[in-house]
mmCIF file of all heavy atoms in Angstrom:
data_model
loop_
_atom_site.group_PDB
_atom_site.id
_atom_site.type_symbol
_atom_site.label_atom_id
_atom_site.label_comp_id
_atom_site.label_asym_id
_atom_site.label_seq_id
_atom_site.Cartn_x
_atom_site.Cartn_y
_atom_site.Cartn_z
ATOM 1 N N HIS A 8 111.091 -16.246 147.666
ATOM 2 C CA HIS A 8 111.311 -17.665 148.013
ATOM 3 C C HIS A 8 112.742 -17.980 148.525
ATOM 4 O O HIS A 8 113.716 -17.656 147.908
ATOM 5 C CB HIS A 8 110.993 -18.593 146.823
ATOM 6 C CG HIS A 8 109.557 -18.638 146.470
ATOM 7 N ND1 HIS A 8 108.576 -18.852 147.410
ATOM 8 C CD2 HIS A 8 108.941 -18.474 145.264
ATOM 9 C CE1 HIS A 8 107.396 -18.853 146.773
ATOM 10 N NE2 HIS A 8 107.578 -18.617 145.496
ATOM 11 N N SER A 9 112.736 -18.589 149.656
ATOM 12 C CA SER A 9 113.965 -19.131 150.217
ATOM 13 C C SER A 9 113.651 -20.590 150.571
ATOM 14 O O SER A 9 112.982 -20.860 151.558
ATOM 15 C CB SER A 9 114.324 -18.324 151.483
ATOM 16 O OG SER A 9 115.422 -18.906 152.128
ATOM 17 N N GLU A 23 111.504 -53.060 138.676
ATOM 18 C CA GLU A 23 110.708 -54.279 138.506
ATOM 19 C C GLU A 23 110.488 -54.518 137.029
ATOM 20 O O GLU A 23 110.600 -53.595 136.214
ATOM 21 C CB GLU A 23 109.358 -54.146 139.261
ATOM 22 C CG GLU A 23 108.533 -52.988 138.877
ATOM 23 C CD GLU A 23 107.294 -52.852 139.740
ATOM 24 O OE1 GLU A 23 107.152 -53.599 140.726
ATOM 25 O OE2 GLU A 23 106.471 -52.001 139.421
ATOM 26 N N HIS A 39 111.137 -49.569 155.057
ATOM 27 C CA HIS A 39 112.350 -49.962 155.729
ATOM 28 C C HIS A 39 113.103 -51.046 154.956
ATOM 29 O O HIS A 39 114.328 -51.120 155.027
ATOM 30 C CB HIS A 39 112.077 -50.462 157.155
ATOM 31 C CG HIS A 39 111.514 -49.395 158.026
ATOM 32 N ND1 HIS A 39 112.195 -48.226 158.287
ATOM 33 C CD2 HIS A 39 110.334 -49.296 158.681
ATOM 34 C CE1 HIS A 39 111.471 -47.475 159.093
ATOM 35 N NE2 HIS A 39 110.336 -48.067 159.327
ATOM 36 N N LYS A 43 109.485 -56.900 147.752
ATOM 37 C CA LYS A 43 109.956 -57.844 146.750
ATOM 38 C C LYS A 43 108.866 -58.782 146.239
ATOM 39 O O LYS A 43 109.159 -59.675 145.437
ATOM 40 C CB LYS A 43 111.078 -58.708 147.359
ATOM 41 C CG LYS A 43 112.349 -57.900 147.664
ATOM 42 C CD LYS A 43 113.425 -58.780 148.208
ATOM 43 C CE LYS A 43 114.719 -58.021 148.422
ATOM 44 N NZ LYS A 43 115.797 -58.820 149.009
ATOM 45 N N PHE A 52 102.636 -58.624 135.037
ATOM 46 C CA PHE A 52 103.032 -59.434 136.190
ATOM 47 C C PHE A 52 104.365 -58.925 136.652
ATOM 48 O O PHE A 52 105.397 -59.263 136.087
ATOM 49 C CB PHE A 52 103.119 -60.905 135.787
ATOM 50 C CG PHE A 52 101.821 -61.483 135.360
ATOM 51 C CD1 PHE A 52 101.408 -61.383 134.042
ATOM 52 C CD2 PHE A 52 101.003 -62.153 136.256
ATOM 53 C CE1 PHE A 52 100.181 -61.917 133.627
ATOM 54 C CE2 PHE A 52 99.774 -62.675 135.853
ATOM 55 C CZ PHE A 52 99.383 -62.571 134.542
ATOM 56 N N GLN A 60 119.230 -47.836 147.828
ATOM 57 C CA GLN A 60 118.724 -46.851 148.777
ATOM 58 C C GLN A 60 118.789 -45.458 148.207
ATOM 59 O O GLN A 60 119.775 -45.110 147.510
ATOM 60 C CB GLN A 60 119.495 -46.929 150.105
ATOM 61 C CG GLN A 60 119.022 -48.097 150.955
ATOM 62 C CD GLN A 60 119.874 -48.226 152.161
ATOM 63 O OE1 GLN A 60 121.009 -48.671 152.074
ATOM 64 N NE2 GLN A 60 119.343 -47.862 153.307
ATOM 65 N N VAL A 62 116.681 -41.225 148.491
ATOM 66 C CA VAL A 62 115.940 -40.288 149.328
ATOM 67 C C VAL A 62 114.993 -39.465 148.461
ATOM 68 O O VAL A 62 115.295 -39.171 147.294
ATOM 69 C CB VAL A 62 116.941 -39.375 150.092
ATOM 70 C CG1 VAL A 62 117.734 -38.511 149.152
ATOM 71 C CG2 VAL A 62 116.251 -38.546 151.136
ATOM 72 N N CYS A 71 107.057 -17.918 152.621
ATOM 73 C CA CYS A 71 105.600 -17.946 152.384
ATOM 74 C C CYS A 71 104.994 -19.343 152.609
ATOM 75 O O CYS A 71 103.784 -19.505 152.443
ATOM 76 C CB CYS A 71 105.295 -17.489 150.980
ATOM 77 S SG CYS A 71 105.808 -18.649 149.685
ATOM 78 N N LEU A 95 121.594 -34.692 126.928
ATOM 79 C CA LEU A 95 122.178 -34.461 128.269
ATOM 80 C C LEU A 95 123.720 -34.347 128.182
ATOM 81 O O LEU A 95 124.317 -33.486 128.824
ATOM 82 C CB LEU A 95 121.817 -35.608 129.216
ATOM 83 C CG LEU A 95 122.361 -35.476 130.624
ATOM 84 C CD1 LEU A 95 121.789 -34.245 131.350
ATOM 85 C CD2 LEU A 95 122.077 -36.709 131.469
ATOM 86 N N ARG A 100 128.432 -30.923 128.553
ATOM 87 C CA ARG A 100 129.736 -30.449 128.087
ATOM 88 C C ARG A 100 129.772 -28.921 127.942
ATOM 89 O O ARG A 100 130.725 -28.267 128.282
ATOM 90 C CB ARG A 100 130.110 -31.127 126.775
ATOM 91 C CG ARG A 100 130.551 -32.581 126.968
ATOM 92 C CD ARG A 100 131.328 -33.074 125.757
ATOM 93 N NE ARG A 100 130.696 -32.743 124.516
ATOM 94 C CZ ARG A 100 130.329 -33.612 123.578
ATOM 95 N NH1 ARG A 100 130.537 -34.896 123.768
ATOM 96 N NH2 ARG A 100 129.766 -33.228 122.466
ATOM 97 N N GLU A 103 129.683 -27.399 131.530
ATOM 98 C CA GLU A 103 130.859 -27.570 132.379
ATOM 99 C C GLU A 103 131.915 -26.532 132.092
ATOM 100 O O GLU A 103 132.618 -26.081 132.990
ATOM 101 C CB GLU A 103 131.426 -28.972 132.173
ATOM 102 C CG GLU A 103 132.468 -29.288 133.247
ATOM 103 C CD GLU A 103 133.027 -30.710 133.165
ATOM 104 O OE1 GLU A 103 132.247 -31.651 132.855
ATOM 105 O OE2 GLU A 103 134.211 -30.889 133.423
ATOM 106 N N MET A 121 102.605 -33.693 133.262
ATOM 107 C CA MET A 121 103.693 -33.773 134.262
ATOM 108 C C MET A 121 104.959 -33.118 133.728
ATOM 109 O O MET A 121 105.699 -32.463 134.464
ATOM 110 C CB MET A 121 103.962 -35.251 134.564
ATOM 111 C CG MET A 121 105.018 -35.451 135.620
ATOM 112 S SD MET A 121 105.178 -37.220 135.938
ATOM 113 C CE MET A 121 106.870 -37.275 136.463
ATOM 114 N N ASP A 138 121.292 -21.537 145.753
ATOM 115 C CA ASP A 138 121.232 -20.568 146.840
ATOM 116 C C ASP A 138 122.218 -20.924 147.966
ATOM 117 O O ASP A 138 122.565 -20.067 148.798
ATOM 118 C CB ASP A 138 119.809 -20.506 147.446
ATOM 119 C CG ASP A 138 118.860 -19.746 146.551
ATOM 120 O OD1 ASP A 138 119.330 -19.093 145.590
ATOM 121 O OD2 ASP A 138 117.638 -19.817 146.832
ATOM 122 N N GLU A 143 132.630 -19.792 144.582
ATOM 123 C CA GLU A 143 132.307 -18.682 143.695
ATOM 124 C C GLU A 143 132.278 -19.116 142.226
ATOM 125 O O GLU A 143 133.180 -19.832 141.773
ATOM 126 C CB GLU A 143 133.362 -17.587 143.879
ATOM 127 C CG GLU A 143 132.874 -16.223 143.462
ATOM 128 C CD GLU A 143 133.903 -15.133 143.778
ATOM 129 O OE1 GLU A 143 134.580 -15.261 144.820
ATOM 130 O OE2 GLU A 143 133.978 -14.216 142.985
ATOM 131 N N TRP A 153 114.275 -36.700 130.648
ATOM 132 C CA TRP A 153 113.929 -37.111 129.291
ATOM 133 C C TRP A 153 114.843 -36.496 128.238
ATOM 134 O O TRP A 153 114.686 -36.741 127.053
ATOM 135 C CB TRP A 153 112.430 -36.862 128.955
ATOM 136 C CG TRP A 153 111.917 -35.494 129.214
ATOM 137 C CD1 TRP A 153 111.996 -34.454 128.361
ATOM 138 C CD2 TRP A 153 111.197 -35.045 130.343
ATOM 139 N NE1 TRP A 153 111.351 -33.362 128.922
ATOM 140 C CE2 TRP A 153 110.830 -33.701 130.116
ATOM 141 C CE3 TRP A 153 110.764 -35.660 131.508
ATOM 142 C CZ2 TRP A 153 110.122 -32.945 131.072
ATOM 143 C CZ3 TRP A 153 110.069 -34.903 132.445
ATOM 144 C CH2 TRP A 153 109.735 -33.579 132.207
ATOM 145 N N SER A 164 125.572 -41.901 135.918
ATOM 146 C CA SER A 164 125.682 -42.308 137.320
ATOM 147 C C SER A 164 124.518 -41.754 138.134
ATOM 148 O O SER A 164 124.381 -40.547 138.301
ATOM 149 C CB SER A 164 126.975 -41.728 137.902
ATOM 150 O OG SER A 164 127.851 -42.683 138.246
ATOM 151 N N LEU A 166 122.639 -40.972 141.544
ATOM 152 C CA LEU A 166 123.002 -40.762 142.946
ATOM 153 C C LEU A 166 122.153 -41.600 143.883
ATOM 154 O O LEU A 166 121.039 -41.223 144.256
ATOM 155 C CB LEU A 166 122.821 -39.265 143.317
ATOM 156 C CG LEU A 166 123.800 -38.304 142.629
ATOM 157 C CD1 LEU A 166 123.577 -36.888 143.099
ATOM 158 C CD2 LEU A 166 125.242 -38.688 142.884
ATOM 159 N N GLY A 170 124.046 -51.657 147.172
ATOM 160 C CA GLY A 170 124.773 -52.645 147.951
ATOM 161 C C GLY A 170 125.017 -52.259 149.394
ATOM 162 O O GLY A 170 125.897 -52.812 150.056
ATOM 163 N N MET A 171 124.210 -51.306 149.902
ATOM 164 C CA MET A 171 124.400 -50.856 151.264
ATOM 165 C C MET A 171 123.431 -51.551 152.225
ATOM 166 O O MET A 171 123.353 -51.228 153.386
ATOM 167 C CB MET A 171 124.155 -49.356 151.366
ATOM 168 C CG MET A 171 125.140 -48.519 150.569
ATOM 169 S SD MET A 171 126.756 -48.483 151.286
ATOM 170 C CE MET A 171 126.471 -47.462 152.723
ATOM 171 N N GLU A 173 122.833 -55.116 152.527
ATOM 172 C CA GLU A 173 122.956 -56.538 152.375
ATOM 173 C C GLU A 173 122.545 -57.338 153.605
ATOM 174 O O GLU A 173 122.417 -58.541 153.576
ATOM 175 C CB GLU A 173 124.387 -56.912 151.956
ATOM 176 C CG GLU A 173 124.553 -56.675 150.470
ATOM 177 C CD GLU A 173 125.913 -56.125 150.128
ATOM 178 O OE1 GLU A 173 126.732 -56.076 151.040
ATOM 179 O OE2 GLU A 173 126.137 -55.787 148.992
ATOM 180 N N GLU A 177 115.789 -61.611 155.725
ATOM 181 C CA GLU A 177 115.211 -62.476 154.688
ATOM 182 C C GLU A 177 113.700 -62.538 154.933
ATOM 183 O O GLU A 177 113.249 -62.498 156.078
ATOM 184 C CB GLU A 177 115.768 -63.879 154.813
ATOM 185 C CG GLU A 177 117.224 -63.994 154.378
ATOM 186 C CD GLU A 177 117.378 -63.664 152.876
ATOM 187 O OE1 GLU A 177 116.554 -64.145 152.104
ATOM 188 O OE2 GLU A 177 118.324 -62.918 152.524
#
Side-chain angles (χ1 to χ4, degrees):
Chain A
H8 292 309
S9 174
E23 58 185 6
H39 296 300
K43 293 182 175 178
F52 296 86
Q60 280 175 287
V62 64
C71 70
L95 180 64
R100 285 199 314 237
E103 191 176 323
M121 182 177 153
D138 285 349
E143 203 174 326
W153 53 84
S164 245
L166 292 182
M171 297 287 289
E173 279 142 6
E177 290 295 318

